[in-house]
Amino acid sequence: MVRRQCVCGGPLKGLRHTGPEMFGFIPSSSLAHYNYDCSFEMGVTLPGGRVLEQCPNCGAMVLCEYPTLDGSLRGDDPLITYGPGTVYEQCDIDAVPVTYRSFRALMSSGVTGGIMYSGAFRTNLAEVFGTTEDKLPSWKVVKDAVRDPMHNTMDEWWYASIGRNFIVLYENSKVLLPVSAWHRIPGTEIKNANIVRINELNTDPLRVHALDTVEMTISEQALDIPDERRRALALGNSARKRMLDSAIHVDRELCDLPQWASPESLERGAVLIRDGHVDSLIETAFGIRHIEVRDGERTEQVDILMRHDVLAKAVCTCADAQAKRICPHIVAAVLEMARYYSFRILIPQDRLPVRSHRSSDAVAVEDQGDNYNHYVDVVAMVREERNAHPDYRWLSSFIEPFTMGDEPLYHVEFMDSAVMGLPSVGYCVYSKTVLGFIDLVINRGDEDYLDTMRDYGLDKDVRLDILNVDSMDARLLCALITMAVYRERRNEGFLAECLENGQLVRMLRRLRALDGEAPQGGQ
């Protein structure tokens, strides 16, 4: 019952193959890996574990054999109802149902959540722990390592959700920010006589009305992906392979571009983007952004992998990048991301070559930031000039997107529960702007917001509408904003309510006013 080729006809290698095409999935609900010290190799043998192989031709995920502790195949294990051979076809993130984009819907749907990792992740782990791939630490140790912010650029692992119908990867499980998705192709699982017989014996007459079946039916219309988007998904798969072969490990924030790029690359990259030689940015798969840069008679391909507001890896087809140097094309691509996502990169004059200090090129780079001075999308970069005084412009810069943006900040979708005798349940789905805000607050907000609120005599569930925002200082405002974001996790829709009644914007405006009153560094 093992599939030897993908539905596209491409050959599959199964469990005997190792490398970036092989993916393991470790469910976080499994107590054995979550709380106990089991070995890394045992991870996929735990209840609910999965092993998948990505087809090199079409990018589909194919469920492989389930390994056993003694290395034998499970064969006719009747517990595997959706067994080896099931194919998940890569799809657009917009086709992912609300179940996988809402905290409350995901927690109530029975979908398994955990960590999905590529075979290349083993190499990263061995490097981090200073060991070899055959002596990796236990999953309990690995879990702590991947959650450490110090390692947030260690790529080739993602938070993931796997249901019978969808596989979704997330950049951040706290924000549910999808970066890749696949849907199951009905009828691709290889039939097993014993499994079919047991399923018939346990047939539920209402099974056709199960929520995951309804979900798949509703989503099928959205799964007709345009050819242009399919090319973008394939481009992301190819870009991921290029990164594994020849990527530059940057591990720095994009807004710090002047600190990690040479003056010559900064100057040349600014000229390329000023002269319109940078083509539009394409969001591909796995959180990779692809940009093409025309330089003379050549067109260089640049791929950038993001983790939150940090550039983890970059790769370019030019000779400089192949020699592991930050080239002008990568600089131009980062500046294009600044233009696309509307965040500011300030390049000081002293970071440009001396001959350009009085040139229009240097001025163009600095002035460009003034046109794009607030967050509007998922990357959520930090807009701030470094100084000694606490600066909350990384928060207050969301005022304009929240008040003047064209797209709705959130909408409500419904999961049909009528078949269970319950009314339809609504789930709040936030826009990329709000998801970027949530992501930023989680990573840069007040980690001790509860203690801060207690210092001011406030309870963690205090009503925001009874507070006098105009009399608050910046420390308390930051704590309250962080509280609102975390409260969304246990009270879905709370942040939408704060946006609707203007309380969140009111606090952000108070922060901006306080920043305006505070002395800026060096002034």
Side-chain angles (χ1 to χ4, degrees):
M1 58 180 294
V2 178
R3 184 178 291 279
R4 297 301 179 189
Q5 67 177 22
C6 181
V7 290
C8 72
L12 299 174
K13 301 175 182 178
L15 291 176
R16 296 172 184 82
H17 176 62
T18 58
E21 293 85 12
M22 294 301 296
F23 287 79
F25 174 71
I26 304 301
S28 59
S29 57
S30 171
L31 293 178
H33 113 261
Y34 210 66
N35 295 329
Y36 296 101
D37 226 17
C38 67
S39 70
F40 186 90
E41 298 297 341
M42 273 180 63
V44 292
T45 70
L46 300 173
R50 299 287 188 274
V51 181
L52 302 106
E53 178 181 352
Q54 186 175 29
C55 174
N57 291 340
C58 68
M61 288 284 188
V62 182
L63 190 61
C64 296
E65 309 99 313
Y66 283 52
T68 57
L69 294 176
D70 61 4
S72 61
L73 301 182
R74 292 185 182 271
D76 296 338
D77 187 341
L79 297 178
I80 307 173
T81 54
Y82 276 78
T86 302
V87 181
Y88 293 83
E89 183 183 21
Q90 196 162 19
C91 65
D92 197 358
I93 291 172
D94 291 338
V96 175
V98 64
T99 303
Y100 297 83
R101 291 181 282 133
S102 163
F103 295 113
R104 187 154 56 109
L106 194 60
M107 287 187 292
S108 63
S109 65
V111 173
T112 303
I115 291 176
M116 192 165 175
Y117 64 95
S118 162
F121 181 56
R122 301 165 60 92
T123 306
N124 294 337
L125 278 179
E127 183 178 346
V128 167
F129 287 98
T131 183
T132 58
E133 292 187 34
D134 59 340
K135 296 180 180 178
L136 293 174
S138 68
W139 265 109
K140 185 176 182 180
V141 176
V142 170
K143 176 198 68 175
D144 294 335
V146 298
R147 291 186 169 184
D148 189 335
M150 177 181 177
H151 299 140
N152 68 349
T153 58
M154 183 168 60
D155 60 333
E156 290 302 317
W157 71 271
W158 302 265
Y159 295 101
S161 295
I162 295 186
R164 285 199 278 182
N165 294 325
F166 283 90
I167 299 174
V168 184
L169 305 187
Y170 306 97
E171 179 182 292
N172 188 339
S173 67
K174 295 180 180 179
V175 183
L176 292 189
L177 207 64
V179 295
S180 289
W182 293 262
H183 72 92
R184 183 175 65 84
I185 303 178
T188 57
E189 65 274 11
I190 297 176
K191 299 298 183 182
N192 177 292
N194 291 337
I195 293 177
V196 171
R197 179 177 55 84
I198 290 177
N199 283 343
E200 289 175 350
L201 293 175
N202 295 279
T203 298
D204 182 351
L206 296 178
R207 187 174 178 218
V208 294
H209 300 295
L211 285 183
D212 60 345
T213 305
V214 174
E215 173 189 84
M216 191 67 181
T217 302
I218 295 173
S219 302
E220 281 180 349
Q221 297 176 350
L223 293 176
D224 185 14
I225 310 301
D227 291 340
E228 182 179 353
R229 184 56 190 162
R230 288 190 182 276
R231 285 192 291 269
L233 294 173
L235 191 64
N237 294 330
S238 302
R240 175 173 167 266
K241 294 176 183 178
R242 288 196 296 271
M243 285 188 169
L244 291 172
D245 294 334
S246 58
I248 302 172
H249 291 258
V250 181
D251 297 353
R252 298 288 297 273
E253 292 184 5
L254 259 71
C255 61
D256 289 337
L257 172 67
Q259 277 69 55
W260 51 264
S262 68
E264 292 74 20
S265 292
L266 288 171
E267 180 186 38
R268 179 60 183 157
V271 171
L272 288 171
I273 194 168
R274 183 202 65 186
D275 294 343
H277 291 179
V278 181
D279 289 339
S280 60
L281 180 148
I282 300 174
E283 294 182 340
T284 67
F286 300 102
I288 298 172
R289 277 83 177 175
H290 178 82
I291 303 102
E292 294 184 356
V293 181
R294 288 174 278 109
D295 190 357
E297 297 181 355
R298 287 179 55 86
T299 298
E300 307 295 351
Q301 312 290 321
V302 181
D303 298 294
I304 291 176
L305 174 66
M306 297 298 303
R307 283 286 194 179
H308 310 301
D309 59 344
V310 175
L311 193 157
K313 285 182 177 181
V315 65
C316 178
T317 53
C318 73
D320 279 352
Q322 295 303 309
K324 307 299 184 184
R325 292 191 292 269
I326 300 296
C327 64
H329 313 110
I330 293 177
V331 171
V334 171
L335 294 175
E336 173 62 22
M337 291 183 69
R339 190 205 307 271
Y340 185 85
Y341 292 113
S342 300
F343 65 90
R344 187 179 188 181
I345 294 179
L346 187 66
I347 301 180
Q349 295 285 340
D350 58 6
R351 288 295 297 153
L352 295 174
V354 174
R355 64 179 181 276
S356 298
H357 277 183
R358 292 181 298 275
S359 71
S360 59
D361 295 346
V363 176
V365 176
E366 185 169 359
D367 286 349
Q368 153 180 280
D370 294 330
N371 296 326
Y372 310 104
N373 57 2
H374 61 276
Y375 298 88
V376 292
D377 218 289
V378 64
V379 176
M381 295 297 106
V382 178
R383 176 208 170 213
E384 58 179 349
E385 289 84 24
R386 308 293 184 183
N387 56 63
H389 188 277
D391 189 342
Y392 292 97
R393 280 180 289 175
W394 58 274
L395 272 176
S396 59
S397 58
F398 278 93
I399 294 173
E400 287 77 14
F402 284 170
T403 57
M404 297 185 294
D406 294 331
E407 63 171 347
L409 296 177
Y410 66 92
H411 68 276
V412 178
E413 294 187 15
F414 293 88
M415 178 180 292
D416 188 5
S417 302
V419 296
M420 302 173 60
L422 299 173
S424 295
V425 179
Y427 299 105
C428 193
V429 180
Y430 290 103
S431 70
K432 291 182 179 180
T433 302
V434 181
L435 288 177
F437 174 79
I438 295 173
D439 188 14
L440 189 64
V441 173
I442 287 175
N443 286 281
R444 291 180 61 88
D446 186 353
E447 296 181 357
D448 302 317
Y449 69 95
L450 291 177
D451 292 336
T452 302
M453 292 174 62
R454 276 194 289 267
D455 290 343
Y456 287 82
L458 297 178
D459 181 74
K460 65 181 179 65
D461 291 323
V462 62
R463 287 173 48 195
L464 298 180
D465 59 337
I466 66 173
L467 301 177
N468 184 5
V469 173
D470 295 334
S471 66
M472 293 181 181
D473 60 19
R475 178 171 175 249
L476 178 56
L477 286 166
C478 185
L480 287 171
I481 292 171
T482 307
M483 178 274 292
V485 167
Y486 277 93
R487 189 168 173 181
E488 172 69 26
R489 297 294 306 278
R490 55 190 173 85
N491 184 11
E492 187 167 332
F494 180 77
L495 205 56
E497 182 181 334
C498 292
L499 288 166
E500 187 72 27
N501 57 30
Q503 291 165 353
L504 182 57
V505 172
R506 191 156 53 248
M507 289 190 289
L508 294 176
R509 283 177 172 154
R510 170 62 178 168
L511 272 179
R512 175 172 287 179
L514 291 173
D515 274 335
E517 297 170 2
Q520 299 300 311
Q523 295 182 0

